[in-house]
Structure formats: C-alpha cells, structure tokens
Amino acid sequence: RRRGRRGGEEEEEDVDPAGDVLLSRTERGEGGSSGNANGGIGNSRSSSRSSSASSLARASGDLERMAGIPAAGLRVKEKYRASYWRQVAMLWQRMSRNVRRHPFLILLHFVATGAAAVSIGAVFFDAGRDTGGIQNRMGSLFFVLLYLTLMSLSSLPVWREDRLLFLRERASGAYGTDAYFTSMVCFDIFILRVLPPVFFTVITYPMVGLHHSSEDPMATVWCLVWFTVVVVLTNVAASALCMAIGIVTPSNAVANVCGLLVLLVSVLCGGFLLNRQGDTATSTNPVVGWLTSLSFVNYAYEALLINEFLGAGTFHFTPKFYDSSGKSQTGLSVDVTGREVLQFFSFGDNRETMVGDLSSLCALALAYLTLAYVLLKASVRRSGVSD
C-alpha cells in the first residue's frame, strides 16, 4: 500500500509487487462526498472493463473458429459439397496430371500395342483366299483378341494403388464413391481400352488384307467400323472383369494369378481352340457349354469372323494329297463362299447372329462393371467408411 496527499486529503493506493497501481482508495468509493463523486468514475471503469471482457470474448471466439473449434451455442455451417459431375471432373483432372507426371504405363500400352499390330500384320501379311489364307485370317483375328485380353491385366491393381488415399479422402467427404468409380472407369476405358485397339484397325487390318471390296467402298468402311467396335468392347469387357477381380482379391500377387486363370479359361472357350461342332464329347459337355456362354472371347471371335467372311466373295478349299513316296500331288480346288466357310466351322452365318454377339458382349461388359461397383461399395463399408 502507498499513502499520499492530494488536495488536502489523504489517499491510499493498492500496489502490486511490480509497483503498478491497481485501485486507489478514492476509486473504491471510500471517504465521504468524494466517494459519491468517484462512484460515476467507478461505474465508467466497470463499463470499460465489461467492454474489454466482451472484446476478449470475441477475440477468443475468433481464435476458436480459426482453430476449427465451434463456439458453444453457434451453428456450424455445413461443409460445401460439390455436385456429382464436378467431383468426376476434378478426379479426372487429377488423374490426367498423374499421367503427365508418370506417363510410362500409357506409353508402354501404346508402344506395345503398335509393335504388336505391326508384328501381326507382318506375320499374316496379305492373307490369301485358299485354305491357308482362311486359316491365317482366323488365326490373326484370334491373336488380336488374345493380345487385348491379356493386356487388360493392367487393370487389376487400379483400385489397390490408391486405396488408402481413396479411403482417407472418402472419409473426409472430399468426394463420393460413385464419382470415384465413374472417373476411374471412364479414364481407364478411354485412355487404355479405346485408343490402343484402334491401332489394330489402322495397322493390322490393311496389312493382313482383311475384308475389303474395291467394288463397294462403303462395305469396307462398315467392316472397319464393326471390327473396331468388337475389339474395343472386348478390351472393355476384359478390363471390367479384371477390375472386379482386383477389388475382391487381398493382394496384387493373388489378383494376377486369379485374373490370368479366369482370362485363360475365357480364351480356351473362345471358339478357336475348341471344336464348336456338336458331334464331339467335349462340345456336348454341359460344363464346357456353360463356360462358353460366359466367355466374352467367344462372342467377340464369332462376331469378327462373321464380319470378315460374310459377303466377302469366294474362297478356295485347296486340300493337298501325297502319294506313297511323299511327293505332293496336285490337289482339288473347291470354291466356297464366305457363308459356307462359317457354316463349315459351325459359326453363325448371318448379321442377326453378329448383332446378338455384340449384344451379349455389351451385356457381359456391363455385368462385370456392375459387379466391380458393388464390390467396391462393399469394400468401402467393410473398411468402416460410411458411404
């Protein structure tokens, strides 16, 4: 405490250890008439202290909001949620940036597909119309499907590579599972499943000498279009099947084994390696028939053969005969139409069958995509992330 005199009056003040004046006696309203006079000053100071406390409270509230802590009694504004298409567009842009930063996989697909297209064209170059030419045409079409089917194995790890990132961002509400699935499927299909098969149309088709007609150029154009549609749908179906397998398997190693096994079974029942005629024990086996009906390669291969041979003019069966000494003798030459070639190997011989094959191919691709979507949703729920 400190004593002093002001205007003939004795005055006491409270002082803290540092020497700062806390509150004078006259301010506390002690002492006669001066207390009434100073009462107004005390009220004024009290009002000032209330105002300071209010400012402090507001500052504290601002700090809490900056720290992400909602003040009591305040309604927190709901997080902004982008539209479905906005989410898809943003995810597509991020995938495009990742591809530009790491373009090796895309370049590998295009370079490998271009090299394969040139190689197939060189091996089966200018297939003729005799028995050997018929076999070469059928073999080249099957190898195109085989190559595209095996290349779809690159879709196995697409969900596993960014799984942790997806679950974390999904849990934070950055985007929905539907938008993520749509962007991933569309990006994979457009970049890896549509553009590479076009190489086989541009390179392999003219080199092998597949269905073309100098008399009817429009027929050649339509055959090119249908050829492209079939190989693209085959690639999409195989990729969708691999996506579904990649989601349900616990690791990339297991996914590779399971995916390769399923694709090889589909290729085995694809119509080229297995006799389709109904007079053999294998073709009448119900298990084989069931696997054949589920093979997307089977529908794609038949559609390509119909597109190639139906209305393609005359072909020649030229069997060769050998005498007892092993010398080749001049064989017969039997002229047949493309429809008769298809009938001989027990394939469809009309456009209606081709349309049915395309419909089945589309249905299988959609079924595989739906299965992958359901499995992805189940995987998200199993991870404890609310959808």
Side-chain angles (χ1 to χ4, degrees), residues 228-291:
T228 307
V229 170
V230 173
V231 294
V232 168
L233 286 177
T234 303
N235 209 7
V236 171
S239 176
L241 180 58
C242 289
M243 286 182 180
I245 296 173
I247 293 174
V248 76
T249 49
S251 65
N252 287 336
V254 176
N256 286 328
V257 174
C258 295
L260 185 60
L261 178 62
V262 171
L263 293 182
L264 287 179
V265 171
S266 184
V267 169
L268 177 63
C269 301
F272 180 78
L273 303 175
L274 191 63
N275 193 350
R276 296 172 58 97
Q277 296 177 352
D279 55 354
T280 61
T282 304
S283 60
T284 57
N285 190 323
V287 177
V288 175
W290 179 70
L291 292 175

Side-chain angles (χ1 to χ4, degrees), residues 57-58 60-65 68-76:
R58 286 196 298 271
S60 177
D62 292 339
L63 289 175
E64 288 177 347
R65 284 191 292 273
I69 305 173
L74 295 178
R75 186 180 65 179
V76 181

Side-chain angles (χ1 to χ4, degrees), residues 143-308:
F143 192 84
V144 168
L145 296 178
L146 175 63
Y147 173 83
L148 294 176
T149 299
L150 295 180
M151 286 297 288
S152 66
L153 289 171
S154 62
S155 295
L156 285 171
V158 294
W159 308 109
R160 195 171 304 281
E161 290 176 346
D162 299 327
R163 175 178 173 78
L164 295 179
L165 177 63
F166 162 64
L167 291 177
R168 184 167 60 249
E169 292 178 342
R170 180 65 194 92
S172 66
Y175 48 80
T177 305
D178 297 348
Y180 178 72
F181 179 83
T182 303
S183 60
M184 286 290 291
V185 170
C186 292
F187 190 85
D188 184 83
I189 287 177
F190 180 75
I191 301 298
L192 299 179
R193 313 305 163 195
V194 173
L195 296 181
V198 175
F199 282 23
F200 288 104
T201 303
V202 176
I203 299 175
T204 304
Y205 197 97
M207 290 185 67
V208 178
L210 298 176
H211 191 159
H212 63 279
S213 174
S214 58
E215 299 178 356
D216 190 1
M218 285 305 300
T220 303
V221 172
W222 279 111
C223 287
L224 281 169
V225 171
W226 287 119
F227 179 88
T228 307
V229 170
V230 173
V231 294
V232 168
L233 286 177
T234 303
N235 209 7
V236 171
S239 176
L241 180 58
C242 289
M243 286 182 180
I245 296 173
I247 293 174
V248 76
T249 49
S251 65
N252 287 336
V254 176
N256 286 328
V257 174
C258 295
L260 185 60
L261 178 62
V262 171
L263 293 182
L264 287 179
V265 171
S266 184
V267 169
L268 177 63
C269 301
F272 180 78
L273 303 175
L274 191 63
N275 193 350
R276 296 172 58 97
Q277 296 177 352
D279 55 354
T280 61
T282 304
S283 60
T284 57
N285 190 323
V287 177
V288 175
W290 179 70
L291 292 175
T292 301
S293 64
L294 294 178
S295 171
F296 61 91
V297 179
N298 173 54
Y299 299 108
Y301 187 57
E302 185 176 48
L304 286 180
L305 289 181
I306 295 175
N307 183 66
E308 171 61 24

Side-chain angles (χ1 to χ4, degrees), residues 85-162:
W85 294 111
R86 177 71 174 173
Q87 296 175 33
V88 172
M90 292 298 99
L91 289 170
W92 180 285
Q93 290 181 12
R94 185 171 72 177
M95 293 175 193
S96 301
R97 287 194 298 269
N98 291 336
V99 167
R100 288 195 297 269
R101 293 169 184 169
H102 310 283
F104 180 74
L105 178 61
I106 305 298
L107 293 177
L108 180 62
H109 266 271
F110 281 91
V111 172
T113 304
V118 173
S119 300
I120 295 173
V123 171
F124 299 98
F125 183 76
D126 196 17
R129 290 181 169 268
D130 56 358
T131 302
I134 294 173
Q135 183 180 5
N136 287 342
R137 292 172 189 269
M138 299 177 74
S140 64
L141 295 177
F142 176 76
F143 192 84
V144 168
L145 296 178
L146 175 63
Y147 173 83
L148 294 176
T149 299
L150 295 180
M151 286 297 288
S152 66
L153 289 171
S154 62
S155 295
L156 285 171
V158 294
W159 308 109
R160 195 171 304 281
E161 290 176 346
D162 299 327

